[in-house]
Amino acid sequence: MVNYSIMLTSRLPAQPKTRDAERSRAVILSAALEEFALFGLSGARIDRIAERSNLNKRLIYYYFADKDQLFQAVLEAAYEKIRESEKKLNLQALQPSAAIRKLVEFTWTYYLENPEFLTLLNSANLHKARHIEESFNARALNSPLIELLGEILEKGRVSGEFRGGIDPVQLYVSIAALSYFYLSNNSTLSVIFGRDLMTPKSQSERLSHMCELILGYVLRN
Amino acid sequence: MVNYSIMLTSRLPAQPKTRDAERSRAVILSAALEEFALFGLSGARIDRIAERSNLNKRLIYYYFADKDQLFQAVLEAAYEKIRESEKKLNLQALQPSAAIRKLVEFTWTYYLENPEFLTLLNSANLHKARHIEESFNARALNSPLIELLGEILEKGRVSGEFRGGIDPVQLYVSIAALSYFYLSNNSTLSVIFGRDLMTPKSQSERLSHMCELILGYVLRN
Amino acid sequence: MVNYSIMLTSRLPAQPKTRDAERSRAVILSAALEEFALFGLSGARIDRIAERSNLNKRLIYYYFADKDQLFQAVLEAAYEKIRESEKKLNLQALQPSAAIRKLVEFTWTYYLENPEFLTLLNSANLHKARHIEESFNARALNSPLIELLGEILEKGRVSGEFRGGIDPVQLYVSIAALSYFYLSNNSTLSVIFGRDLMTPKSQSERLSHMCELILGYVLRN
Amino acid sequence: MVNYSIMLTSRLPAQPKTRDAERSRAVILSAALEEFALFGLSGARIDRIAERSNLNKRLIYYYFADKDQLFQAVLEAAYEKIRESEKKLNLQALQPSAAIRKLVEFTWTYYLENPEFLTLLNSANLHKARHIEESFNARALNSPLIELLGEILEKGRVSGEFRGGIDPVQLYVSIAALSYFYLSNNSTLSVIFGRDLMTPKSQSERLSHMCELILGYVLRN
DNA sequence: TATGAATGAGAATTCATTCAT
DNA sequence: TATGAATGAATTCTCATTCAT
């Protein structure tokens, strides 16, 4: 059997055990994020999360009812984080085509820099989004970007720059899909195509391709 | 804890215990495919695979060394199956744009009808393609479609129909991505967007969108 | 876990599968001897015995009722073998002190050349000689050497060479003990004393010591 | 198959479940000692060790990584115990021949009263002293008796009482051997010689014989 | 708030043994 | 006589979770 303990590279430095509830909660959450990202929901181990966070296993149960709810909390935090980032995009200030390009670039960069997000979503989907559904009432997980994207598409259409009839949801899903699949399945794809898809060159080629693909479609001829 | 035994809908009908090695192996493989697809590698249970196949748990170890190698065998079988289907596509007989459209449609349909394939790949990627790498030497997992796609793109470029400079690997990945992400993450997306993405209408809208997107990009103006 | 299959160095060369009952039985017996000697009764694996003998596992059960009886058969064979060797010693032809010396040397050499015998006996004793008891009625396991040794001691006493009052059983046990313990516990002792007890030099020193010890006791001053 | 549960005579009385780590560890260790002594390493069952100690099986793994390490801990404890006893012998205070005699008697008595020690060593040797080697760095397993024995032999030689040229290691091994073999193989020997070697009379005869043998050799007559 | 000790239910894997041919 | 297929009962070890302090 593989000993995954050696993967605990990011074990947090032993901190002075101040009795700081907020802090402990956050530390657990971030340790759990790593663990779930690396091993999925079933593969994650409460023990390792405790090790990672340099906290007692029992404390995890103090803050989170069980593994499932911990996963859910992690998932919510991940969503909140990406929503935070999206907010800062300020797409409405840009020209339609520049806005679309920026959205593609943002998506790519965000996934690239936050690969846990991808694995997390995969896990969530394996479990039929059970955890997401439960979170939905409590927190606004849905992207405000959809409306914004709709406005951008409309603005482009009116100006004659964009083709009409584009469903913002479909486009949004497609933009996510192009980055997501490439990065999430990168290791499989690299083996299958016999080339490293994560070299800087490959990465920039992918980004170009995606921009061309999306803009080639959106732009009226 | 959830009792997943109730999900054993597809328990195979108790067959006459023929002492047929090939058969037993195949039955185990197909039961394992279901199980791994439903729960991922870590979440899958050997016990349930035995139940599903109406065979003795011990027999699984008789044919497959351990869970990991069983997973690998399942993965290989899944790849072989999709490669088989691809072979029947006969894209070379079509006009370039028709060929591209057919490839998009095929991808969509295949994933739709073989959802296990998606979950399986997700699992494989969670484990960093370890299993795929190990299989790669033994079996041709890589798609022969890449070369064919290259030829199609070239033919279209020469005839002036297609734009030039398209990397077939990038395009192939993108075509897969568009279907894969939508279907694999469907449950999460459905919750987030507050609409069922799997109704017939949604499905056909998605297929149209993908065709437009890919062809809008490939076709010169 | 340790993979002991690599220890199957002495796997017999694949023989033409003649339907030779006697031969098969013998092959199994010798494979089992090795296996039991290496791993003890509990540690031995029927599977490995089958591998070792290049025969089907089922055949083992054809010839021997179960693991226990196989062990017993192995034990009996080992006893018969040492009794065979003892018979050839021809101690009665020697002078008393020469005979004693020869017995010490024989014991040492036999154990040295047949280390399986030691481990086998250890196993038998761990199981409280259950297997030996069962064999006893059927076969003459007891050494005819005891009587002979009694005669030798008496001859030596009469001639004034040996001291009197020596119980041949005690002496026999002691002679065996001195070689047995050294060889059977050699690995532990080597570690404890920090010196390799199996070098040629160590071996000859041990033999000298044992001869001196036994003769020093037996001989009248 | 034999039901060994009935051999659990020494199941410890259900103690008040004190949450005492040291205590639990010790209880497990002593239960494991019994189990390993009775069945050897391979034959021992973790389940039975749990039963014996009236503790949860899981706790065994909490304190000891696995069966192998548990065995190692047991072995170390056994060595420490005998070394403790040896320390109390105070041989240096005795006359040379009295000291030798006392060492023989001590060895006999210790093995007689701690038969687990013998089986344990047998097991350790079956496994090629793997466990002892691993312990050796950490703990002083080697007997301080060797040096002392050397001094005693020298003292006896100088006084003209003992013969010269005796290697203390050889003598020590021989003294151990004489008791060890008799006791460890007692059941086999009893069957073979057709007499019970463990009656009080047999025992005292054995002890006499060993003393005569060793002293007969050591003393310059 | 924090933690080490303890546990029951499981989960992968092993093993001797039997079945069917 | 020989063998590959099949199995039930263990057996080691794991995991989420709770107890007691």
Side-chain angles (χ1 to χ4, degrees), chain C residues 18-159:
Chain C
T18 51
R19 293 184 155 239
D20 182 340
E22 266 321 296
R23 185 158 206 309
S24 294
R25 226 193 99 99
V27 167
I28 290 170
L29 219 40
S30 114
L33 169 63
E34 281 185 53
E35 179 73 12
F36 285 128
L38 275 173
F39 303 103
L41 175 49
S42 304
R45 293 292 167 257
I46 298 284
D47 268 300
R48 277 196 304 250
I49 295 175
E51 274 186 77
R52 269 177 210 284
S53 53
N54 272 319
L55 282 173
N56 191 279
K57 187 164 48 158
R58 185 63 191 77
L59 210 55
I60 296 173
Y61 288 93
Y62 183 77
Y63 287 109
F64 305 91
D66 57 18
K67 201 188 183 188
D68 255 50
Q69 282 189 242
L70 177 55
F71 180 74
Q72 192 160 321
V74 163
L75 206 54
E76 284 176 26
Y79 267 106
E80 272 172 34
K81 191 179 162 197
I82 193 172
R83 292 307 166 235
E84 271 327 297
S85 297
E86 285 175 347
K87 273 187 204 153
K88 294 181 193 138
L89 267 178
N90 221 242
L91 296 183
Q92 52 275 40
L94 299 174
Q95 290 300 91
S97 69
I100 299 291
R101 177 180 293 272
K102 190 166 184 188
L103 179 56
V104 173
E105 286 170 353
F106 165 78
T107 306
W108 170 258
T109 310
Y110 191 87
Y111 291 173
L112 195 57
E113 290 173 357
N114 301 276
E116 336 77 53
F117 186 68
L118 309 183
T119 342
L120 228 47
L121 277 216
N122 275 162
S123 270
N125 279 291
L126 180 60
H127 294 268
K128 299 280 170 231
R130 177 160 49 95
H131 306 87
I132 291 182
E133 262 172 62
E134 282 169 25
S135 300
F136 197 68
N137 300 320
R139 318 199 146 273
L141 297 182
N142 71 323
S143 175
L145 234 47
I146 292 298
E147 287 102 280
L148 183 52
L149 187 53
E151 292 164 22
I152 291 167
L153 288 173
E154 176 61 10
K155 198 160 118 195
R157 189 192 65 78
V158 168
S159 76

Side-chain angles (χ1 to χ4, degrees), chain D residues 19 42 44-47 57-58 61 65-68:
Chain D
R19 297 194 142 238
S42 304
R45 294 290 170 258
I46 298 284
D47 268 305
K57 180 169 47 160
R58 181 63 189 78
Y61 289 93
D66 56 18
K67 201 186 181 186
D68 253 51

Side-chain angles (χ1 to χ4, degrees), chain B residues 35-64:
Chain B
E35 178 74 12
F36 284 129
L38 275 172
F39 303 103
L41 175 48
S42 304
R45 294 292 169 254
I46 298 285
D47 267 305
R48 277 196 306 249
I49 296 176
E51 276 185 74
R52 268 177 211 287
S53 51
N54 270 117
L55 282 172
N56 193 281
K57 181 167 48 157
R58 180 63 189 79
L59 208 57
I60 296 173
Y61 288 93
Y62 184 71
Y63 288 107
F64 305 91

